[in-house]
Amino acid sequence: MKADPAEQLRLLDLQGLDARLDQLAHRRRTLPEHAEIEQLDRDLRRLRDLTVAAETRASDLEREQAKADADVEQVRARARRDQARLDSGRVSSPKELMDLQSELASLARRQSELEDVELAVMERAEEVQSEVERLRADAAGVEGKRAAAVGRRDAAVEEIDNEAYLTQQAREAVVRDVGGELLSLYEKVRASSAGIGAAELKQRRCQGCRLELNTVDLARFRDAPSDEVLRCEECRRILVRTAESGL
Ligand SMILES: [Zn+2]
């Protein structure tokens, strides 16, 4: 293939801009904030699951507490009725009096037992409630960190996109200087050669694969007309001659 030496040199500018675009795309994909946000999302899901579990326990305990309150109240009401009957003076039979007194004593014991249960349920309910509050506070903290990480990610993405836009503009200007045939060869080689389509021949070394020319290729390249498009025999990339090629 033949191409004007100035166009061949422009390929090196194009290669530089394409390498920069590749770097920017890589940086955009691998921003540390992506992993950070994923981790924070996992933390949030875990905290939400724990919160739901604790809230379920809290509402179970609320029901248990209502039942314990009702149990105590039932015994108290019964004791109040017995006591009123006793105080009314209408019970005259000694047996009935004894039965009433014995029932009041047993109701008092029962009430005391039920109040212990009520207290224990109340304590557990308070513990679970403070666990719910702690989990909600933790989740709010993680949400704050996530918002900050999203802000940093968006700022970094915007900066990268701005630079990519300017680089893309510069690339379009360079592309206008390169002939269609040379450009499509460059694109084809670049697609199959790890993003490097054209490399400088510098100090007799291909800057694409870093290998030095053998004496046969060196002699052939030295004799090649300046408008001939050279290819590295090792990596097949387009080799661009410059003042530093050492030919
Ligand atoms: Zn090479």
Side-chain angles (χ1 to χ4, degrees):
M1 188 188 291
K2 300 276 183 191
D4 185 87
E7 277 183 41
Q8 295 186 38
L9 270 176
R10 280 305 253 167
L11 278 187
L12 292 181
D13 296 333
L14 188 58
Q15 179 62 71
L17 292 167
D18 279 338
R20 185 63 190 146
L21 285 170
D22 287 348
Q23 271 172 14
L24 289 169
H26 179 262
R27 218 174 87 204
R28 197 185 198 281
R29 277 195 310 276
T30 59
L31 283 173
E33 283 81 9
H34 295 318
E36 193 184 337
I37 291 166
E38 273 175 31
Q39 180 59 54
L40 291 168
D41 281 342
R42 279 194 293 275
D43 291 350
L44 269 182
R45 278 197 295 277
R46 189 180 52 83
L47 283 170
R48 282 181 189 137
D49 288 349
L50 289 172
T51 306
V52 168
E55 282 169 345
T56 306
R57 282 205 307 283
S59 79
D60 288 350
L61 283 167
E62 218 171 280
R63 269 197 304 279
E64 247 182 82
Q65 203 176 336
K67 186 182 176 301
D69 291 347
D71 289 350
V72 169
E73 188 43 42
Q74 198 182 17
V75 173
R76 276 194 192 130
R78 177 87 178 262
R80 274 197 304 275
R81 276 200 311 276
D82 287 357
Q83 191 63 52
R85 197 166 151 70
L86 202 60
D87 294 345
S88 72
R90 274 178 293 168
V91 181
S92 47
S93 138
K95 175 164 184 321
E96 200 181 341
L97 275 175
M98 258 175 59
D99 285 351
L100 268 178
Q101 273 158 351
S102 135
E103 183 170 287
L104 275 170
S106 108
L107 285 171
R109 281 195 304 275
R110 180 75 186 129
Q111 184 178 332
S112 156
E113 283 164 16
L114 287 173
E115 280 169 350
D116 288 348
V117 170
E118 196 183 26
L119 194 65
V121 172
M122 208 185 292
E123 277 169 6
R124 263 161 52 218
E126 274 168 19
E127 280 165 22
V128 172
Q129 195 49 47
S130 56
E131 192 189 338
V132 167
E133 277 155 27
R134 185 178 55 76
L135 287 166
R136 284 181 187 154
D138 286 356
V142 174
E143 270 162 12
K145 279 189 199 164
R146 190 190 188 280
V150 166
R152 275 184 279 115
R153 179 202 61 194
D154 290 350
V157 163
E158 195 188 341
E159 196 190 316
I160 291 168
D161 286 352
N162 285 341
E163 192 185 337
Y165 174 77
L166 294 175
T167 310
Q168 192 61 44
Q169 300 281 97
R171 186 187 193 278
E172 278 161 28
V174 173
V175 160
R176 281 194 288 272
D177 295 342
V178 181
E181 205 189 346
L182 183 60
L183 186 64
S184 57
L185 176 65
Y186 163 81
E187 299 283 17
K188 199 182 102 204
V189 176
R190 180 173 133 75
S192 62
S193 306
I196 303 177
E200 183 184 358
L201 176 60
K202 191 174 181 183
Q203 311 298 342
R204 302 175 179 181
R205 206 175 274 277
C206 163
Q207 295 301 299
C209 64
R210 306 273 165 188
L211 291 175
E212 198 170 352
L213 297 183
N214 60 45
T215 45
V216 179
D217 291 335
L218 184 63
R220 193 164 63 77
F221 287 171
R222 194 175 279 146
D223 295 339
S226 63
D227 64 348
E228 188 183 326
V229 176
L230 305 181
R231 305 280 297 273
C232 172
E233 291 302 327
E234 296 298 334
C235 68
R236 302 303 297 150
R237 291 187 174 100
I238 299 169
L239 269 181
V240 178
R241 282 160 287 181
T242 67
E244 289 176 59
S245 289
L247 291 178

